[in-house]
Amino acid sequence: MAVTIKDVAKLSGVSISTVSRVINDSKPVSPEVKRKVLEVIEEIGYKPNEIARTLVTKKSYLIGVIVTDLADSYVADMVRGIEEVGKMYNYDILLCSTYGDKEAELKYIQLLNRKQVEGMILISDTINDEIDEKISEYSIPFVYLSRYSKFDKYPTVSIDYHFAAYEITKYLIKLGHKNIGFVGYLEDENSTQIEKYEGYSKAMEEMELDPSFIFETQGISIGHGYEALDQSIIKNELTALFCSNDEIAIGALNYCYDNQINTPEDISVVGFGDISIASLIRPKLTTVKEPFYDIGAVAIRRVIKELRKEDVGEKHIKLPYQIQQRNSCIKI
Amino acid sequence: MAVTIKDVAKLSGVSISTVSRVINDSKPVSPEVKRKVLEVIEEIGYKPNEIARTLVTKKSYLIGVIVTDLADSYVADMVRGIEEVGKMYNYDILLCSTYGDKEAELKYIQLLNRKQVEGMILISDTINDEIDEKISEYSIPFVYLSRYSKFDKYPTVSIDYHFAAYEITKYLIKLGHKNIGFVGYLEDENSTQIEKYEGYSKAMEEMELDPSFIFETQGISIGHGYEALDQSIIKNELTALFCSNDEIAIGALNYCYDNQINTPEDISVVGFGDISIASLIRPKLTTVKEPFYDIGAVAIRRVIKELRKEDVGEKHIKLPYQIQQRNSCIKI
DNA sequence: TTGAAAGCGCTACCAA
DNA sequence: TTGGTAGCGCTTTCAA
């Protein structure tokens, strides 16, 4: 058994109350006594049991984080932001991955609650009613993070997808491109994919360009991007492709590579997100840089503010983004 | 305040002991009473407070995981393995990232201890004496995971780096390559990089080939791989490069791309690790597949076995690996 | 400035 | 099969 506050009290000849006072600096303690107690603590290497502490103070200094999959680098980036800022305020992260399993998600929400987390951050593509209900039930600070979904009942942190898509399309146009295709997943009307499409078409229409070269994907992964392309990009004399996220863009790039279509010489490709691999592949991907790390950081900052009853500001926070110019895209 | 066991007891007209018995199935309870209690629990949505439970049982069902950086995909993969297997045994993960800061690492080890984690897994490149001391001090199950370091005072899970390097070099030789360069970081003699070099040179020497085309890197990142290369790969008529890890290999590939050296046509490149990006880039990287996920899974399995006083087997577990053949490497 | 004691929510022992 | 109760390690009144 580890040393407890009792041992410290006994060895320093004071009551446990006094020991508690010195370790928490909560009430005045005479200098000599304080010195003595500190000495004993140092000597026997006493460390307060955080569990016992939590039981009485109700402060676990734990934030539950539920993610789909850490292997998605943007998720890992968000978690980094969450963790790093959390640590600044002494909060630790209890991590759960669902791999898209909604059952598991529900289970973890309840689990985290039982573990007395003080707040929760959910990173996932969708929220269903069951989940929604549980979250409302436990009235703890909560932030929903998704690069995909527009669900806005709960606080969120994201960027302006519509405008970002608009801007990068404009950028393409400024580079001289006229026949610009859109590659993305359009089935789900409640997704940011739609917003991106709208941004794209707005930019196109403003310049009286045709926004109907659409390659619909069946999802938002690399494979989906790869599968959505076909030789019509050549037939239609497309000179550029706006892919609704980086994964799709990489799929597109790979399709081109495998079919002897040179990028960016034959066709320029831009993505959306700036996930870590975007700058590692060749050609390096021109894309919209979503500040994933900051999104996580701001999310937990909000949770902590709420915990401290500070002003939390806007419910839906929009962060700035950047157009990240690289080599997958050239002037024509 | 959330509902407690007392509320359940009161509402179902039994003692808290009885309620405790039904929620833990620890002692026989008459069917009617059990039914009644369960009913009440369901009705008021009672969930046991895990903190209180932990305080008395000493079982927190928490495993502390300290990592350098989740953004390294292999780290994320290990954490996935840890988490997923942990969940099978009801264990949760308390996650801390150090970003290579040894001070922070030490701090987190202590912190996790205070949070009463039952076991700890450290994923990092090195262990220093201070850290070592703390770990020994808290005598909880511990596993050290590193793809880089050979530190073996504590239980580890890894692969046979020497033999894997030997095998992939053999593979290159079988493909017809004779002038094979080694690219890697050789400063630190306690690293697996050295083992890989030895595996490489053993394979070369066995075939009476020259193992001295060495490109020493200053580290093991993509940038380091990029910087270590120069035109001598052409001058020396090298036809293949064995890079001591995937990052270095990708750096090498990028160097070639940027200098109009075609891969694999002009030069074959193999890596080591099979980090996620390896199969995404073009050409896809031929490499040694280290089972990162399994490494994490086996590590936590060991921790849990130790916790359950089961037989833990070997202190240093070696897992199988594979040569992952892809396109960065061709027959000549 | 200090100590005694109550109590956080729960488990586990003892007695009935 | 049940209830009463001590106690896990700590914080926080309340009195002294």
Side-chain angles (χ1 to χ4, degrees), chain B residues 20 24 31 49 52 105 121 126 128 152 168 176 191 204 237 265 267 292 295-296 300 308:
Chain B
S20 174
N24 293 304
N49 179 326
E105 201 165 303
I121 295 175
T126 55
N128 63 28
D152 63 1
I168 197 161
S191 87
M204 294 294 275
E237 296 181 335
E265 297 79 5
I267 191 160
F292 298 119
I295 287 174
I300 194 166
R308 299 179 158 206

Side-chain angles (χ1 to χ4, degrees), chain A residues 256-276:
Chain A
C256 293
Y257 179 95
D258 293 349
N259 290 278
Q260 288 76 48
I261 300 168
N262 291 323
T263 48
E265 297 78 5
D266 297 340
I267 192 160
S268 286
V269 173
V270 301
F272 199 111
D274 198 22
I275 58 177
S276 63

Side-chain angles (χ1 to χ4, degrees), chain B residues 15 17-18 21 28 30 33 58:
Chain B
S15 71
S17 325
T18 303
R21 280 170 201 130
S30 72
V33 173
K58 305 277 167 247

Side-chain angles (χ1 to χ4, degrees), chain B residues 307-319:
Chain B
L307 252 15
R308 299 179 158 206
K309 315 249 182 276
E310 294 171 14
D311 179 26
V312 292
E314 296 282 314
K315 182 168 177 185
H316 300 290
I317 303 170
K318 297 283 185 204
L319 260 28

Side-chain angles (χ1 to χ4, degrees), chain A residues 48 82 86 128 141 150 181 195 203 214 264 273 289 315 326:
Chain A
I82 292 171
N128 63 29
K150 293 198 286 179
E195 295 188 336
I214 302 175
K289 186 185 186 65
K315 183 169 177 185
R326 289 198 275 247

Side-chain angles (χ1 to χ4, degrees), chain B residues 77-124:
Chain B
D77 286 340
M78 287 180 178
V79 173
R80 291 172 79 203
I82 293 171
E83 211 221 316
E84 209 155 357
V85 171
K87 278 290 183 336
M88 292 169 44
Y89 296 88
N90 279 314
Y91 277 86
D92 288 296
I93 295 318
L94 211 48
L95 183 79
C96 299
S97 310
T98 63
Y99 306 104
D101 178 355
K102 285 288 158 191
E103 285 298 320
E105 201 165 303
L106 196 64
K107 210 184 81 196
Y108 295 152
I109 290 174
Q110 302 182 69
L111 176 78
L112 291 175
N113 188 57
R114 289 196 276 122
K115 294 251 182 188
Q116 310 299 118
V117 299
E118 295 184 46
M120 238 152 76
I121 295 175
L122 171 62
I123 304 178
S124 82

